[in-house]
Each structure stands twice: as structure tokens, then as C-alpha cells.
Amino acid sequence: MNRALILAVVAAVGIVVAASTLFTVHQTQQVLITQFGQPIRVIRDPGLKAKIPFIQSVIAFDRRLLDYDATGEEVILGDQRRLIVDSFTRYRITDPLLFFQSVGATEAGIRARLNSIVTSSVRRVLGNEPLLSVLSNDRARIMTEIRRQVNDEARRFGIEVTDVRIRRADLPDGNTQAILQRMQSERERVARELRAEGAEQAAGIRAGADRERTVLLAEAQASSDILRGQGEQDAIRIFADAFQRDPQFFQFWRSMQAYREAFSEGDTRLLLSPDSEFFRYFRESMPAPAPRAAQ
């Protein structure tokens, strides 16, 4: 009976010692081993590990990305406008030993430090930027500069800041309407200037097109007159050559043209004497009348 009790006690002590000696490092963790409160070594590889029981302690730190939401702060911009900025930060613990020596064994210590670092960097960078830059595509450049400054200061705490973002940027309630009206007036002024420039360019393009049209029509009319004159000159020359070759045939052809133009309508009336030169070819083509028989 006593032997069984001794074995049970030994087994219980062995289990307690083994539980105090062995520990598991998860793949999302990194472990710092301390001895009497003093850091001894850092374990980053996951798996089953061992330590000196009852003397050494295990402090686990998360190796994943961690988030910190900063409170909204009122910031004065470079153009003396006020803006309420609400930001968040993503960081990772890269040096557990330095983190433990700087802020302690929990994440609560780093949050207070990050709040002051992020707030001062946001005020410093935004203090040199106008409102339009914060609300435009320059916002990415501004956030990159803020992240760089925050990361440079946070490295001494054993962390790496991977990103700093402005979640919300609002105008104070008292200045919102005035700033919106000013921005609307500015946009309307720019729109009027653009419309005036467009109207001026349109008038210039229209005047140039009208001028080119006038020049083209004048050149076309001049070319047409020149070609018409050359055609009439050639026609006169051809008629003159034909008249010189056979004047009688030319007169006959001109008379036929006159007959066609005079009688083409069908109801033309002419008052001419029978012996008019106009009917010369009609008379020549008619047969002579037969002589009357003697009674």
C-alpha cells in the first residue's frame, strides 16, 4: 500500500515537473525565456521546447500583424484649416527582447507609445500640406511619409510599423459649411474660366474654317472661270476652222440648229415674209410647181 502511494506521488511530481519543463511554441507566436525576471533567450521556431522548471518563465508575443486605432485628433493643416483626423496603425513585433525591455511583457505598454508617436507624426506631416492635397491623390504620398516617420521612431521599441492610414478626415462642424461654400465658389470660378476659354477656341476654329471655306470657293470659282474661258476659246477656234473648210456646209448646219431650236416646242409662231432668208433651205428642198395647162 505504501509502495503504491509512493509511486503515485512520484508520478504526480514527474507530471508536474514535465509540465513545468515542456512547452509548445505556436506558429503564430515567438517566445522569450526569462530567469528570475531577466531575459535569457528568444525562441521563434514553432514546436515543443524545454526550459528549466520553476526557475525559467515563458512570455509569448504574437508575431502576426497587430492593429492600433488612434483617437480622433484635431489637426491644423498647412493652409491654416482645421481637420479632425482618425487613423489606425498596423505593426508587428520583430524583436521580443527589445520589446520586453522597452514596454514590458504585454501589448498595453506599446499602445500608449504608439498613440503619441502617431499623433505627433500626423500633426507634423499634415501641418505642411493644404486641404486639397489631403483630399486628392496626394494622400497616398502623405500617408507614406507618416508611416516612414512612425516606423523610424517605433524601431527602438522592437516593433515594425507596416502601415498607417487615415480612416476618417472630417471638417469641424463650425467650418464645414463655410469651407464647402468656398470650395463651391472656387469650382464655379474655374468652370467659368474653362467655358470662356472653350468659347474663345471655338470662335477661333469657326473663323478659321470660314476663312478656309471662302478661300477654297474663290479658288474653285477662279479655276472654273479659267477652264470655261479655255473651253470657249477652243470651241470658237474649232468653229472657225470648220467654217473656213466648208462655209456652205457650216451655214447649212447653223440653219438646221436654228430650225431645231425654233420649232422644238411645237407651238412656235413666226411672222416672216415668204421670201425671208430664214426659209431658204425650205424653199430649195421643195419641188417646183407644175405649169398650168392652156385652156
Side-chain angles (χ1 to χ4, degrees):
M1 184 68 180
N2 293 333
R3 185 178 180 181
L5 181 61
I6 293 173
L7 291 176
V9 171
V10 171
V13 172
I15 292 173
V16 172
V17 172
S20 180
T21 302
L22 301 176
F23 64 94
T24 302
V25 178
H26 196 266
Q27 59 184 358
T28 61
Q29 294 177 338
Q30 47 192 341
V31 172
L32 176 65
I33 305 298
T34 62
Q35 182 172 331
F36 300 114
Q38 299 297 323
I40 300 300
R41 59 194 173 100
V42 176
I43 301 176
R44 291 186 172 88
D45 298 331
L48 185 62
K49 308 296 179 179
K51 64 181 181 61
I52 300 175
F54 309 113
I55 297 178
Q56 295 181 348
S57 301
V58 176
I59 302 176
F61 298 95
D62 201 332
R63 66 191 306 171
R64 295 173 294 182
L65 281 177
L66 303 175
D67 294 335
Y68 169 70
D69 295 333
T71 58
E73 296 286 341
E74 185 174 338
V75 179
I76 300 177
L77 302 180
D79 53 2
Q80 303 303 315
R81 297 180 181 178
R82 297 180 181 272
L83 199 66
I84 299 177
V85 178
D86 185 6
S87 64
F88 70 91
T89 305
R90 290 180 178 175
Y91 67 96
R92 179 187 288 110
I93 300 175
T94 57
D95 191 342
L97 177 59
L98 183 59
F99 185 88
F100 176 77
Q101 294 173 345
S102 302
V103 299
T106 61
E107 298 176 6
I110 194 60
R111 294 183 179 274
R113 305 292 181 89
L114 276 178
N115 185 47
S116 61
I117 293 174
V118 172
T119 300
S120 61
S121 298
V122 169
R123 290 180 181 275
R124 184 164 52 249
V125 174
L126 294 184
N128 298 322
E129 300 291 340
L131 178 61
L132 292 179
S133 296
V134 179
L135 302 179
S136 65
N137 294 331
D138 289 341
R139 188 166 179 170
R141 175 185 59 80
I142 295 173
M143 299 314 304
T144 301
E145 178 63 22
I146 294 175
R147 182 187 61 80
R148 186 189 65 78
Q149 294 187 10
V150 173
N151 192 32
D152 291 342
E153 296 186 22
R155 286 176 180 171
R156 57 191 176 94
F157 300 111
I159 65 174
E160 178 188 4
V161 177
T162 60
D163 198 6
V164 179
R165 295 286 179 179
I166 294 178
R167 178 186 292 110
R168 182 172 58 92
D170 295 335
L171 296 171
D173 295 337
N175 299 335
T176 302
Q177 294 299 326
I179 293 177
L180 289 178
Q181 291 178 359
R182 189 182 310 165
M183 293 175 63
Q184 182 178 0
S185 301
E186 179 67 17
R187 295 298 94 189
E188 291 177 353
R189 182 186 63 80
V190 173
R192 287 194 297 269
E193 291 180 356
L194 292 176
R195 291 193 188 97
E197 293 177 359
E200 181 180 359
Q201 293 179 1
I205 294 173
R206 217 175 271 114
D210 293 339
R211 182 173 59 254
E212 292 179 0
R213 173 179 174 274
T214 303
V215 171
L216 290 175
L217 291 176
E219 292 177 351
Q221 185 65 35
S223 299
S224 175
D225 293 340
I226 293 173
L227 293 175
R228 189 178 293 108
Q230 292 177 353
E232 292 178 354
Q233 181 180 0
D234 293 340
I236 293 172
R237 180 178 53 79
I238 293 171
F239 276 117
D241 293 341
F243 180 76
Q244 292 176 2
R245 291 181 182 180
D246 194 349
Q248 294 181 355
F249 175 78
F250 185 76
Q251 291 179 358
F252 173 75
W253 182 73
R254 293 297 299 270
S255 299
M256 292 299 103
Q257 283 188 332
Y259 294 156
R260 183 179 61 185
E261 293 177 0
F263 302 113
S264 60
E265 298 296 332
D267 57 351
T268 303
R269 295 182 180 181
L270 297 176
L271 299 178
L272 300 173
S273 60
D275 55 351
S276 175
E277 186 67 20
F278 185 74
F279 295 107
R280 180 166 62 101
Y281 291 101
F282 282 101
R283 292 194 301 269
E284 292 178 355
S285 61
M286 293 177 62
R292 293 183 180 181
Q295 292 181 357

